[in-house]
Amino acid sequence: MPDRVVDYLVRAVADRGIGQIFGVDGANIEDLYDAIFDAGGHPAGIIAKHEFSAATMADGYARSTGGLGVVAATSGGGAVNLVAGLAESFASRVPVLALVGQPPTSLEGRGAFQDSSGLAESLDAAALFATVSRYCARVTEPAQVPGQLVEAIAAAESGGPAVLLLPKDIQQQMMPDLIAAHSNGQRPATVGRAVTVPTTSAIHQHSALAEVATQLAAARRLGKVVVIAGDQVARDNARIELAELVEALDASIGVAPDAKDVYSNTGPGFCGVAGSMGHADLLDALETASACLLVGTRLPVTTRAGLDAALAALPLLSVGALAPHFPATHATSTDLATALTVLRPERHHPVVGHDSAVTTRTEPHNTDLTLMSVPAADGPGLRYRAVVEAIQRELPEGADLFVDAGNTGASVVHYLRVPEGGRFVVALGMGGMGYAFGAGIGSAFARGAAHRTVVIAGDGSFFMHGMEIHTAVEYDLPITFVVFNNNAHAMCVTREQIYYRDRYSFNRFRTTRLGAGIAAMFPGLPAHTVDEPTELDATLRRCLTTDGPSFVEIRCDPDEIPPFLPFLS
């Protein structure tokens, strides 16, 4: 039988090796799920509980694979619910393709339920999604699909979401027998087979890269270079090249808060995390450095807080997809694996304090980082540092961590070292609460049963999107959810205390028992509450080594100040 538009799209996703399409079903996207069924589950259709979480699942899948994540949603509220998730992918430059159903074209502007055509004073979905995507197009006839798909995927691979708006009647139509679709001179084959989209060509400013290399070599002859690495290193799968560059430069290195997994946290020269959740060791290194090289980071406020003066006093060099927010000698590159190889100095170049060529350093590395001094807490429950250090002790080798922003996230970023071979993601592009639940699930699908995924979040994030635990249970994923429960939006409580004289609180809530509630909701799911420090290690060990999903509620103090520089200055 000839392919429908939806069959064509599903096959295009499968032909790219993408294993799952994440989404929430509905009337104006149900034909896509019909096509997924007809395709035999390749890719699989994964049903989330909320479209925000479906979008973050696609985001987490993309971050873990280094490829493209795909999300589907119906029209109206389903479509609008995608916006916050796609905004995180946009800000963090994560490639996601969104397939969004729309009412039939014959009803556009004529009172269609969930009309978002922009006609007759209806919501304009194209204008809405244009603000959170690199590409957005409304498909109006089947012949457009191959070309628009090529353009959408190329735009997503340049760094961010792409959106195709698909009216229901267009989804159901048959593809023409022959199509000539053009994208950068590429012509897809006849319809009936999905278009294989060529990988987006890497961008390198060769002359600028040569200038960065020249200045880097000069700085290296004068003294110690400090590298600050960002999350683009992970997206470009350039971890090995980064480590080789740091070794060749005999450099010190710090990582952005959302890039803790791009360099070994116990590796040579490691100075910890940069910025508002960071370590003083990196500041000390910068204050005696000859230059600072930024790799795949623009130095947003969360990465540069507390470092501004030291950075301003240094020659600042940069390589990455976008120039940093600080003045710097910058080379644009969308392929850091190649760019860092170019920057790596020849091994015969001398290094200050060394009499011979650069060699692998064998001296033991001091793994003790300088931790922030936080006020003592005397409220109920366990302390952030004690909990994070217990998680550290019990983490399986190669575990992946997805962490929500807030007081919980700040504590994990500051105290926890990423296991070798593991992934670490914290959503600082938009900082949306509840991101880690969906993203961790998407990553678990991508990484497979061999990797334990750990989602760490606060109770506020849990109440927003924690019911995605249902999705993890449904698919028996190897995920442990660790929820710090202080019965509050704790970062808001801290801000009320520090910035508004502690005269009131809108952000403290009645006591909840999440562990007991989850255990009642999901019979057979290992679900526990930790009230006492003596229970912590054994409970974590049990939940981190079980098959399938598990849940740990940890009771903690809403008044504890986390290791977050703005709260301690």
Side-chain angles (χ1 to χ4, degrees), residues 9 15 31 65 71 86 113 124 192 203-204 207 225 228 236 291-292 314 316 338 345 379 436 462 466 475 511 513 559:
L9 290 169
D15 283 355
D31 295 285
T65 62
V71 62
L86 295 181
F113 179 60
D124 188 342
I203 297 172
H204 293 296
S207 59
V225 172
I228 299 178
D236 291 0
C292 178
L314 284 174
L316 197 60
T338 300
F462 170 83
Y475 295 97
T511 298
R513 283 287 181 178
D559 295 303

PDB file of all heavy atoms in Angstrom, residues 9 15 31 65 71 86 113 124 192 203-204 207 225 228 236 291-292 314 316 338 345 379 436 462 466 475 511 513 559:
ATOM      1  N   LEU A   9       6.885   9.678   7.881  1.00  0.00           N
ATOM      2  CA  LEU A   9       7.595  10.299   8.993  1.00  0.00           C
ATOM      3  C   LEU A   9       8.140   9.257   9.955  1.00  0.00           C
ATOM      4  O   LEU A   9       9.281   9.358  10.425  1.00  0.00           O
ATOM      5  CB  LEU A   9       6.663  11.262   9.728  1.00  0.00           C
ATOM      6  CG  LEU A   9       6.280  12.540   8.973  1.00  0.00           C
ATOM      7  CD1 LEU A   9       5.151  13.263   9.702  1.00  0.00           C
ATOM      8  CD2 LEU A   9       7.481  13.455   8.803  1.00  0.00           C
ATOM      9  N   ASP A  15      14.754   5.106  10.178  1.00  0.00           N
ATOM     10  CA  ASP A  15      15.938   5.006   9.329  1.00  0.00           C
ATOM     11  C   ASP A  15      17.131   5.756   9.897  1.00  0.00           C
ATOM     12  O   ASP A  15      18.269   5.504   9.504  1.00  0.00           O
ATOM     13  CB  ASP A  15      15.628   5.525   7.918  1.00  0.00           C
ATOM     14  CG  ASP A  15      14.826   4.517   7.097  1.00  0.00           C
ATOM     15  OD1 ASP A  15      14.596   3.397   7.602  1.00  0.00           O
ATOM     16  OD2 ASP A  15      14.428   4.849   5.968  1.00  0.00           O
ATOM     17  N   ASP A  31      -3.023   9.461  14.333  1.00  0.00           N
ATOM     18  CA  ASP A  31      -2.612   8.777  13.108  1.00  0.00           C
ATOM     19  C   ASP A  31      -1.123   8.449  13.123  1.00  0.00           C
ATOM     20  O   ASP A  31      -0.701   7.446  12.544  1.00  0.00           O
ATOM     21  CB  ASP A  31      -2.955   9.634  11.889  1.00  0.00           C
ATOM     22  CG  ASP A  31      -4.453   9.809  11.723  1.00  0.00           C
ATOM     23  OD1 ASP A  31      -5.116   8.842  11.294  1.00  0.00           O
ATOM     24  OD2 ASP A  31      -4.964  10.886  12.076  1.00  0.00           O
ATOM     25  N   THR A  65      22.560  10.266  23.678  1.00  0.00           N
ATOM     26  CA  THR A  65      22.998   9.628  22.438  1.00  0.00           C
ATOM     27  C   THR A  65      23.905  10.523  21.614  1.00  0.00           C
ATOM     28  O   THR A  65      24.638  10.029  20.749  1.00  0.00           O
ATOM     29  CB  THR A  65      21.792   9.242  21.568  1.00  0.00           C
ATOM     30  OG1 THR A  65      21.062  10.438  21.205  1.00  0.00           O
ATOM     31  CG2 THR A  65      20.865   8.285  22.305  1.00  0.00           C
ATOM     32  N   VAL A  71       9.767  14.068  19.703  1.00  0.00           N
ATOM     33  CA  VAL A  71       8.599  14.164  20.571  1.00  0.00           C
ATOM     34  C   VAL A  71       7.380  14.443  19.705  1.00  0.00           C
ATOM     35  O   VAL A  71       7.468  15.118  18.672  1.00  0.00           O
ATOM     36  CB  VAL A  71       8.779  15.277  21.638  1.00  0.00           C
ATOM     37  CG1 VAL A  71       8.933  16.648  21.009  1.00  0.00           C
ATOM     38  CG2 VAL A  71       7.628  15.269  22.632  1.00  0.00           C
ATOM     39  N   LEU A  86      10.625  22.445  25.212  1.00  0.00           N
ATOM     40  CA  LEU A  86      11.399  22.844  24.034  1.00  0.00           C
ATOM     41  C   LEU A  86      12.250  24.077  24.324  1.00  0.00           C
ATOM     42  O   LEU A  86      13.337  24.234  23.755  1.00  0.00           O
ATOM     43  CB  LEU A  86      10.460  23.120  22.856  1.00  0.00           C
ATOM     44  CG  LEU A  86       9.680  21.919  22.311  1.00  0.00           C
ATOM     45  CD1 LEU A  86       8.819  22.337  21.129  1.00  0.00           C
ATOM     46  CD2 LEU A  86      10.607  20.781  21.927  1.00  0.00           C
ATOM     47  N   PHE A 113     -12.072  22.874  16.984  1.00  0.00           N
ATOM     48  CA  PHE A 113     -11.624  22.654  18.353  1.00  0.00           C
ATOM     49  C   PHE A 113     -10.102  22.682  18.373  1.00  0.00           C
ATOM     50  O   PHE A 113      -9.450  22.017  17.580  1.00  0.00           O
ATOM     51  CB  PHE A 113     -12.148  21.305  18.848  1.00  0.00           C
ATOM     52  CG  PHE A 113     -11.721  20.957  20.239  1.00  0.00           C
ATOM     53  CD1 PHE A 113     -12.062  21.774  21.313  1.00  0.00           C
ATOM     54  CD2 PHE A 113     -10.960  19.824  20.483  1.00  0.00           C
ATOM     55  CE1 PHE A 113     -11.673  21.458  22.599  1.00  0.00           C
ATOM     56  CE2 PHE A 113     -10.559  19.495  21.774  1.00  0.00           C
ATOM     57  CZ  PHE A 113     -10.915  20.312  22.830  1.00  0.00           C
ATOM     58  N   ASP A 124      -1.776  31.354  17.140  1.00  0.00           N
ATOM     59  CA  ASP A 124      -0.903  31.070  16.002  1.00  0.00           C
ATOM     60  C   ASP A 124       0.228  30.156  16.464  1.00  0.00           C
ATOM     61  O   ASP A 124       1.212  30.599  17.062  1.00  0.00           O
ATOM     62  CB  ASP A 124      -0.347  32.371  15.426  1.00  0.00           C
ATOM     63  CG  ASP A 124       0.414  32.153  14.119  1.00  0.00           C
ATOM     64  OD1 ASP A 124       0.802  31.006  13.832  1.00  0.00           O
ATOM     65  OD2 ASP A 124       0.622  33.139  13.387  1.00  0.00           O
ATOM     66  N   GLY A 192       8.031   6.404  -0.564  1.00  0.00           N
ATOM     67  CA  GLY A 192       7.869   4.999  -0.271  1.00  0.00           C
ATOM     68  C   GLY A 192       9.028   4.539   0.602  1.00  0.00           C
ATOM     69  O   GLY A 192       8.930   3.578   1.329  1.00  0.00           O
ATOM     70  N   ILE A 203      30.945  23.315  11.365  1.00  0.00           N
ATOM     71  CA  ILE A 203      31.412  24.668  11.070  1.00  0.00           C
ATOM     72  C   ILE A 203      32.704  24.913  11.827  1.00  0.00           C
ATOM     73  O   ILE A 203      32.780  24.662  13.035  1.00  0.00           O
ATOM     74  CB  ILE A 203      30.350  25.712  11.484  1.00  0.00           C
ATOM     75  CG1 ILE A 203      29.060  25.514  10.674  1.00  0.00           C
ATOM     76  CG2 ILE A 203      30.891  27.128  11.320  1.00  0.00           C
ATOM     77  CD1 ILE A 203      27.916  26.372  11.150  1.00  0.00           C
ATOM     78  N   HIS A 204      33.709  25.352  11.099  1.00  0.00           N
ATOM     79  CA  HIS A 204      34.969  25.723  11.737  1.00  0.00           C
ATOM     80  C   HIS A 204      35.440  27.052  11.145  1.00  0.00           C
ATOM     81  O   HIS A 204      35.478  27.211   9.929  1.00  0.00           O
ATOM     82  CB  HIS A 204      36.070  24.684  11.495  1.00  0.00           C
ATOM     83  CG  HIS A 204      35.831  23.372  12.158  1.00  0.00           C
ATOM     84  ND1 HIS A 204      35.784  23.218  13.520  1.00  0.00           N
ATOM     85  CD2 HIS A 204      35.631  22.147  11.637  1.00  0.00           C
ATOM     86  CE1 HIS A 204      35.561  21.949  13.809  1.00  0.00           C
ATOM     87  NE2 HIS A 204      35.461  21.279  12.685  1.00  0.00           N
ATOM     88  N   SER A 207      40.751  30.233  10.380  1.00  0.00           N
ATOM     89  CA  SER A 207      41.734  31.272  10.706  1.00  0.00           C
ATOM     90  C   SER A 207      41.628  31.673  12.176  1.00  0.00           C
ATOM     91  O   SER A 207      42.644  31.886  12.852  1.00  0.00           O
ATOM     92  CB  SER A 207      41.530  32.497   9.805  1.00  0.00           C
ATOM     93  OG  SER A 207      40.217  33.024   9.970  1.00  0.00           O
ATOM     94  N   VAL A 225      47.999  27.413  31.952  1.00  0.00           N
ATOM     95  CA  VAL A 225      46.719  27.677  31.308  1.00  0.00           C
ATOM     96  C   VAL A 225      45.613  26.998  32.111  1.00  0.00           C
ATOM     97  O   VAL A 225      45.787  25.880  32.603  1.00  0.00           O
ATOM     98  CB  VAL A 225      46.716  27.158  29.857  1.00  0.00           C
ATOM     99  CG1 VAL A 225      45.328  27.249  29.240  1.00  0.00           C
ATOM    100  CG2 VAL A 225      47.733  27.929  29.020  1.00  0.00           C
ATOM    101  N   ILE A 228      38.197  26.032  31.081  1.00  0.00           N
ATOM    102  CA  ILE A 228      36.843  25.893  31.622  1.00  0.00           C
ATOM    103  C   ILE A 228      36.004  25.256  30.518  1.00  0.00           C
ATOM    104  O   ILE A 228      35.855  25.825  29.435  1.00  0.00           O
ATOM    105  CB  ILE A 228      36.239  27.228  32.068  1.00  0.00           C
ATOM    106  CG1 ILE A 228      37.078  27.858  33.180  1.00  0.00           C
ATOM    107  CG2 ILE A 228      34.801  27.025  32.546  1.00  0.00           C
ATOM    108  CD1 ILE A 228      36.567  29.210  33.654  1.00  0.00           C
ATOM    109  N   ASP A 236      29.122  17.278  21.545  1.00  0.00           N
ATOM    110  CA  ASP A 236      29.995  16.954  20.410  1.00  0.00           C
ATOM    111  C   ASP A 236      30.810  15.690  20.634  1.00  0.00           C
ATOM    112  O   ASP A 236      31.673  15.360  19.814  1.00  0.00           O
ATOM    113  CB  ASP A 236      30.949  18.126  20.137  1.00  0.00           C
ATOM    114  CG  ASP A 236      30.232  19.353  19.597  1.00  0.00           C
ATOM    115  OD1 ASP A 236      28.999  19.294  19.442  1.00  0.00           O
ATOM    116  OD2 ASP A 236      30.902  20.370  19.343  1.00  0.00           O
ATOM    117  N   ALA A 291      46.539  32.370  31.086  1.00  0.00           N
ATOM    118  CA  ALA A 291      45.403  32.543  30.176  1.00  0.00           C
ATOM    119  C   ALA A 291      44.314  31.558  30.579  1.00  0.00           C
ATOM    120  O   ALA A 291      44.559  30.576  31.282  1.00  0.00           O
ATOM    121  CB  ALA A 291      45.807  32.305  28.724  1.00  0.00           C
ATOM    122  N   CYS A 292      43.100  31.831  30.095  1.00  0.00           N
ATOM    123  CA  CYS A 292      41.977  30.923  30.305  1.00  0.00           C
ATOM    124  C   CYS A 292      41.396  30.554  28.951  1.00  0.00           C
ATOM    125  O   CYS A 292      41.105  31.431  28.124  1.00  0.00           O
ATOM    126  CB  CYS A 292      40.901  31.571  31.176  1.00  0.00           C
ATOM    127  SG  CYS A 292      39.450  30.518  31.446  1.00  0.00           S
ATOM    128  N   LEU A 314      42.696  38.251  32.718  1.00  0.00           N
ATOM    129  CA  LEU A 314      43.424  37.259  31.933  1.00  0.00           C
ATOM    130  C   LEU A 314      43.146  37.379  30.445  1.00  0.00           C
ATOM    131  O   LEU A 314      42.049  37.809  30.048  1.00  0.00           O
ATOM    132  CB  LEU A 314      42.992  35.844  32.363  1.00  0.00           C
ATOM    133  CG  LEU A 314      43.519  35.287  33.680  1.00  0.00           C
ATOM    134  CD1 LEU A 314      42.843  33.957  33.974  1.00  0.00           C
ATOM    135  CD2 LEU A 314      45.025  35.111  33.616  1.00  0.00           C
ATOM    136  N   LEU A 316      41.572  35.873  27.466  1.00  0.00           N
ATOM    137  CA  LEU A 316      40.481  34.904  27.416  1.00  0.00           C
ATOM    138  C   LEU A 316      40.377  34.370  25.993  1.00  0.00           C
ATOM    139  O   LEU A 316      40.159  35.129  25.031  1.00  0.00           O
ATOM    140  CB  LEU A 316      39.169  35.558  27.843  1.00  0.00           C
ATOM    141  CG  LEU A 316      38.009  34.637  28.226  1.00  0.00           C
ATOM    142  CD1 LEU A 316      38.391  33.741  29.393  1.00  0.00           C
ATOM    143  CD2 LEU A 316      36.769  35.457  28.580  1.00  0.00           C
ATOM    144  N   THR A 338      37.091  17.750  16.663  1.00  0.00           N
ATOM    145  CA  THR A 338      38.098  18.142  15.667  1.00  0.00           C
ATOM    146  C   THR A 338      38.847  19.389  16.104  1.00  0.00           C
ATOM    147  O   THR A 338      40.072  19.461  16.012  1.00  0.00           O
ATOM    148  CB  THR A 338      37.427  18.386  14.309  1.00  0.00           C
ATOM    149  OG1 THR A 338      36.789  17.178  13.877  1.00  0.00           O
ATOM    150  CG2 THR A 338      38.438  18.825  13.264  1.00  0.00           C
ATOM    151  N   PRO A 345      48.778  21.158  21.391  1.00  0.00           N
ATOM    152  CA  PRO A 345      50.130  21.532  20.963  1.00  0.00           C
ATOM    153  C   PRO A 345      50.947  20.318  20.555  1.00  0.00           C
ATOM    154  O   PRO A 345      50.700  19.190  20.999  1.00  0.00           O
ATOM    155  CB  PRO A 345      50.728  22.191  22.205  1.00  0.00           C
ATOM    156  CG  PRO A 345      49.962  21.595  23.343  1.00  0.00           C
ATOM    157  CD  PRO A 345      48.571  21.355  22.838  1.00  0.00           C
ATOM    158  N   GLY A 379      17.553  22.182  61.853  1.00  0.00           N
ATOM    159  CA  GLY A 379      16.162  21.778  61.683  1.00  0.00           C
ATOM    160  C   GLY A 379      16.021  20.271  61.531  1.00  0.00           C
ATOM    161  O   GLY A 379      16.992  19.525  61.635  1.00  0.00           O
ATOM    162  N   ALA A 436      14.160  16.829  35.333  1.00  0.00           N
ATOM    163  CA  ALA A 436      14.977  15.627  35.495  1.00  0.00           C
ATOM    164  C   ALA A 436      14.162  14.339  35.390  1.00  0.00           C
ATOM    165  O   ALA A 436      14.695  13.303  34.969  1.00  0.00           O
ATOM    166  CB  ALA A 436      15.703  15.667  36.847  1.00  0.00           C
ATOM    167  N   PHE A 462       8.944  17.236  42.177  1.00  0.00           N
ATOM    168  CA  PHE A 462       8.143  16.009  42.147  1.00  0.00           C
ATOM    169  C   PHE A 462       6.670  16.334  41.939  1.00  0.00           C
ATOM    170  O   PHE A 462       5.975  15.686  41.140  1.00  0.00           O
ATOM    171  CB  PHE A 462       8.331  15.222  43.442  1.00  0.00           C
ATOM    172  CG  PHE A 462       7.373  14.071  43.585  1.00  0.00           C
ATOM    173  CD1 PHE A 462       7.634  12.858  42.981  1.00  0.00           C
ATOM    174  CD2 PHE A 462       6.195  14.221  44.307  1.00  0.00           C
ATOM    175  CE1 PHE A 462       6.736  11.809  43.094  1.00  0.00           C
ATOM    176  CE2 PHE A 462       5.298  13.172  44.428  1.00  0.00           C
ATOM    177  CZ  PHE A 462       5.567  11.957  43.817  1.00  0.00           C
ATOM    178  N   GLY A 466       6.605  14.667  38.796  1.00  0.00           N
ATOM    179  CA  GLY A 466       7.083  13.403  39.324  1.00  0.00           C
ATOM    180  C   GLY A 466       6.232  12.205  38.968  1.00  0.00           C
ATOM    181  O   GLY A 466       6.695  11.058  39.082  1.00  0.00           O
ATOM    182  N   TYR A 475       7.476   0.844  31.801  1.00  0.00           N
ATOM    183  CA  TYR A 475       8.488   0.255  30.918  1.00  0.00           C
ATOM    184  C   TYR A 475       9.617  -0.413  31.688  1.00  0.00           C
ATOM    185  O   TYR A 475      10.612  -0.813  31.080  1.00  0.00           O
ATOM    186  CB  TYR A 475       9.035   1.339  29.988  1.00  0.00           C
ATOM    187  CG  TYR A 475       7.987   1.874  29.031  1.00  0.00           C
ATOM    188  CD1 TYR A 475       7.296   3.044  29.318  1.00  0.00           C
ATOM    189  CD2 TYR A 475       7.657   1.177  27.874  1.00  0.00           C
ATOM    190  CE1 TYR A 475       6.311   3.527  28.454  1.00  0.00           C
ATOM    191  CE2 TYR A 475       6.679   1.653  27.008  1.00  0.00           C
ATOM    192  CZ  TYR A 475       6.012   2.825  27.304  1.00  0.00           C
ATOM    193  OH  TYR A 475       5.039   3.289  26.450  1.00  0.00           O
ATOM    194  N   THR A 511       2.974  18.788  55.704  1.00  0.00           N
ATOM    195  CA  THR A 511       3.804  17.593  55.637  1.00  0.00           C
ATOM    196  C   THR A 511       3.192  16.554  54.692  1.00  0.00           C
ATOM    197  O   THR A 511       1.979  16.314  54.717  1.00  0.00           O
ATOM    198  CB  THR A 511       3.976  16.972  57.029  1.00  0.00           C
ATOM    199  OG1 THR A 511       4.633  17.914  57.873  1.00  0.00           O
ATOM    200  CG2 THR A 511       4.787  15.687  56.973  1.00  0.00           C
ATOM    201  N   ARG A 513       4.003  12.518  52.873  1.00  0.00           N
ATOM    202  CA  ARG A 513       4.774  11.279  52.975  1.00  0.00           C
ATOM    203  C   ARG A 513       4.852  10.666  51.579  1.00  0.00           C
ATOM    204  O   ARG A 513       4.037   9.827  51.195  1.00  0.00           O
ATOM    205  CB  ARG A 513       4.109  10.323  53.979  1.00  0.00           C
ATOM    206  CG  ARG A 513       4.348  10.700  55.425  1.00  0.00           C
ATOM    207  CD  ARG A 513       5.790  10.379  55.811  1.00  0.00           C
ATOM    208  NE  ARG A 513       6.078  10.710  57.204  1.00  0.00           N
ATOM    209  CZ  ARG A 513       7.253  10.472  57.770  1.00  0.00           C
ATOM    210  NH1 ARG A 513       8.225   9.919  57.057  1.00  0.00           N
ATOM    211  NH2 ARG A 513       7.476  10.811  59.020  1.00  0.00           N
ATOM    212  N   ASP A 559      15.067  24.965  55.879  1.00  0.00           N
ATOM    213  CA  ASP A 559      15.828  26.157  56.237  1.00  0.00           C
ATOM    214  C   ASP A 559      17.332  25.994  56.040  1.00  0.00           C
ATOM    215  O   ASP A 559      18.089  26.939  56.297  1.00  0.00           O
ATOM    216  CB  ASP A 559      15.553  26.533  57.690  1.00  0.00           C
ATOM    217  CG  ASP A 559      14.097  26.942  57.904  1.00  0.00           C
ATOM    218  OD1 ASP A 559      13.659  27.877  57.213  1.00  0.00           O
ATOM    219  OD2 ASP A 559      13.410  26.307  58.717  1.00  0.00           O
TER     220      ASP A 559
END
